[in-house]
Amino acid sequence: QNYLDNFWPDLKAAHELFDSITQARRERESESQENHGKEYPEHLPLEILEAGIKSGRYLQGTLNVNKHRAQLEAFVRLQGCGNKDTG
């Protein structure tokens, strides 16, 4: 802000861009605080997921995505299974 004010006081577009970036950063920080520092909110609380995994309602695994064809190829490897064709 100081740089723009001192060296480019008449460059309106740069000041507007700086204000826009500052506002977006503040909004992101407030969202992060609302989510307790997490970028994305959890779908279900951890306790429910853990109970669901123990009861067999949910399965736990690792998502593997093809980096070259990410929109077309992915699979889930379930814990305890060595076979890639599990999901």
Side-chain angles (χ1 to χ4, degrees):
Q1 180 70 45
N2 291 338
Y3 175 79
L4 290 175
D5 290 340
N6 292 328
F7 295 101
W8 302 99
D10 298 329
L11 192 58
K12 185 177 179 182
H15 286 274
E16 289 174 357
L17 178 62
F18 179 81
D19 292 340
S20 175
I21 292 170
T22 302
Q23 180 181 355
R25 186 174 175 195
R26 286 182 188 140
E27 288 173 5
R28 186 173 182 157
E29 287 173 356
S30 69
E31 288 174 3
S32 179
Q33 289 174 355
E34 290 172 5
N35 295 327
H36 306 289
K38 298 176 183 172
E39 189 170 347
Y40 300 102
E42 296 177 0
H43 293 281
L44 293 173
L46 181 61
E47 298 80 23
I48 293 174
L49 289 175
E50 288 175 341
I53 291 170
K54 285 181 183 178
S55 70
R57 181 175 182 184
Y58 301 126
L59 301 174
Q60 185 172 1
T62 303
L63 176 65
N64 294 285
V65 179
N66 183 330
K67 67 180 178 180
H68 302 290
R69 300 179 55 170
Q71 301 219 353
L72 301 174
E73 292 184 16
F75 66 91
V76 175
R77 180 173 290 148
L78 298 177
Q79 273 190 343
C81 297
N83 187 359
K84 286 186 177 181
D85 299 327
T86 56

